[in-house]
Amino acid sequence: MSATAAEKKTVAETPDAARRGKDGKPLVRSWSTPILQTVFALLSLGLFAIGAPAHDAEFRIATPGDLIELAAVTVPAGPALWVLTLAMIAIAVLAWVRAAAGRKNPVWLNGLYVFAFVAAFLIWVVGSASNNSVYLTGLIAGSFALAVPLIFGSMAGILSERSGVVNIAIEGQLLAGAFTAAMVGSATGSAWIGLAAAIIAGVAVSSLLAVFSIKYLVNQVIVGVVLNVLVIGLTSFLFSTVLAPNSSELNSPPHFPNIRIPFLAEIPIIGRILFDQSILGYGMYLIVGLLWFGLFRTRWGLRVRAVGEHPKAADTVGIDVLRTRYVNVLLGGAVAGMGGAFFTLVSASSFSKEMTAGQGFIALAAVIFGRWNPIGAFFAALLFGFATNMQYVFAILGTPVPSQFMAMLPYVVTVFAVAGLVGRSRGPAAAGTPYVKE
């Protein structure tokens, strides 16, 4: 036997080799996905399938004025819930098999599992309601509207974290943008000036994050938490002392109207979502697309990802690591400021205390859930927006689900999603680690 063959045999007999696949890569067994999928499959079996409502669930697709009048879809609750539950059980079993072999479920299969659970929950709730009919178009459109600030916040998180700075301050950036947009927009009577002020406010908060975390090397998580508390306290104080006594002058901002594109806006389901939005709604789609293209198809994106993964190597080839981080954190603040402006210039009539209600943290969860990818974060934010919208829609339907459970549903979905419902997520390797140039 040659020396090379003997070395290969020795390596093959080591305990580490037993934990490697046929391609030589080490096997990493993660049990979070099969465990969570099993829990939700059993929940679906006991609550949805076995406790299936006697009534069918009706989903109305078309709305008056649509270009094409589509008939309502009536779903027999019992058979549909059993089919969806069995599909979830099959996917969970496959997840156990693949985890034992050191392999992960493909993303599309985990997405199918999430779709099956959401569909089962929707059918069960609508079938159990006193009014067994719901406008599916309105449910989806409302989910998109609630997801807009989450999407802006998640894009801000991706910009920061892809360059290596953990952005816990998204909540503060959103809240600062909402407050400033309301006050400046009301004082000037211009929604555009209010939007510009919101962007500046978001950049101001992110500049503090950048200076303390990049220049002074303070723990990034601590800086983000402190900034959130600071902005919450400051906006609450200014609301009580400045805005509330002068609400007509300083807390009655103008609004961006919806820009309806004729003909296209009348397409069923997607018409209202894609072609009947405010300027911030259209801007949201534009930012998601540009950020994805910029990160994965341009030299700028390659440099940003290099700084977030291995800043020392990036510095070696001539990339200014600190400048890249500063720019990205400030850009993230500008994007988050736009998301904050959506609260007071589009969705609400005025600013109120802590009106973001933790959505900055949900946006951060969307970043993790979407695996630091703009497209993935976009769909993750839509899922959280859908969960938020369900509490309002189902309260109107008169469902048997307690209102307290519906109120906590978005946060429950967030916790389980981040815990690994769709598999382990690995962020940029250098995220949260200060860089000191030697």
Side-chain angles (χ1 to χ4, degrees), residues 23-332:
D23 56 359
K25 295 181 180 179
L27 299 179
V28 180
R29 294 181 174 89
S30 175
W31 303 103
S32 59
T33 299
I35 290 174
L36 283 174
Q37 289 187 351
T38 300
V39 169
F40 279 94
L42 293 176
L43 175 65
S44 179
L45 177 64
L47 186 61
F48 302 157
I50 297 177
H55 301 286
D56 295 339
E58 183 183 70
F59 297 95
R60 287 175 284 177
I61 300 176
T63 56
D66 281 348
L67 183 64
I68 302 174
E69 294 289 341
L70 299 177
V73 177
T74 301
V75 179
L81 290 173
W82 274 106
V83 169
L84 292 170
T85 299
L86 291 175
M88 293 169 60
I89 293 174
I91 296 174
V93 170
L94 182 59
W96 281 105
V97 173
R98 295 179 68 89
R103 302 165 64 192
K104 298 186 297 184
N105 265 9
V107 175
W108 68 267
L109 192 59
N110 289 325
L112 182 62
Y113 182 93
V114 173
F115 173 80
F117 183 82
V118 172
F121 178 72
L122 196 59
I123 292 171
W124 178 75
V125 171
V126 175
S128 303
S130 55
N131 179 12
N132 308 117
S133 180
V134 64
Y135 269 112
L136 188 61
T137 303
L139 181 62
I140 297 175
S143 302
F144 267 81
L146 291 170
V148 170
L150 298 179
I151 294 170
F152 276 113
S154 63
M155 296 305 110
I158 289 174
L159 277 166
S160 298
E161 298 197 18
R162 276 291 184 176
S163 66
V165 179
V166 175
N167 190 358
I168 304 294
I170 299 175
E171 176 79 2
Q173 293 165 354
L174 290 174
L175 191 59
F179 174 85
T180 310
M183 186 175 69
V184 175
S186 300
T188 61
S190 170
W192 286 102
I193 297 178
L195 175 60
I199 293 173
I200 294 172
V203 171
V205 176
S206 64
S207 65
L208 294 175
L209 173 65
V211 169
F212 281 104
S213 61
I214 299 174
K215 182 177 181 179
Y216 296 108
L217 310 181
V218 181
N219 185 284
Q220 296 170 9
V221 175
I222 294 177
V223 173
V225 172
V226 170
L227 286 175
N228 287 333
V229 176
L230 173 65
V231 173
I232 290 173
L234 183 61
T235 54
S236 297
F237 170 76
L238 292 176
F239 173 80
S240 301
T241 57
V242 179
L243 263 62
N246 307 281
S247 59
S248 59
E249 296 85 5
L250 297 178
N251 200 16
S252 301
H255 285 71
F256 285 114
N258 277 17
I259 303 174
R260 184 180 180 88
I261 301 177
F263 185 76
L264 295 178
E266 299 170 1
I267 300 174
I269 301 179
I270 65 171
R272 291 175 56 189
I273 297 171
L274 299 178
F275 307 111
D276 189 7
Q277 292 285 340
S278 66
I279 191 66
L280 285 172
Y282 290 119
M284 171 197 70
Y285 295 119
L286 181 62
I287 287 175
V288 171
L290 288 177
L291 184 54
W292 177 86
F293 182 82
L295 281 176
F296 300 108
R297 294 292 185 273
T298 66
R299 180 178 297 178
W300 169 81
L302 180 61
R303 292 182 175 184
V304 169
R305 288 184 286 126
V307 168
E309 291 291 340
H310 204 309
K312 188 174 182 180
D315 194 6
T316 302
V317 298
I319 299 174
D320 192 332
V321 174
L322 300 184
R323 181 177 180 275
T324 300
R325 289 187 170 183
Y326 271 114
V327 170
N328 272 51
V329 173
L330 295 180
L331 284 175

Side-chain angles (χ1 to χ4, degrees), residues 48 59 114 117-126 134 136 138-140 142-144 146 382-399 401-403 405-410 413:
F48 302 157
F59 297 95
V114 173
F117 183 82
V118 172
F121 178 72
L122 196 59
I123 292 171
W124 178 75
V125 171
V126 175
V134 64
L136 188 61
L139 181 62
I140 297 175
S143 302
F144 267 81
L146 291 170
L382 287 183
L383 175 62
F384 298 142
F386 181 78
T388 303
N389 191 38
M390 282 197 295
Q391 63 176 303
Y392 305 119
V393 174
F394 294 157
I396 298 174
L397 290 176
T399 65
V401 182
S403 59
F405 173 79
M406 298 306 302
M408 71 180 186
L409 184 60
V413 171

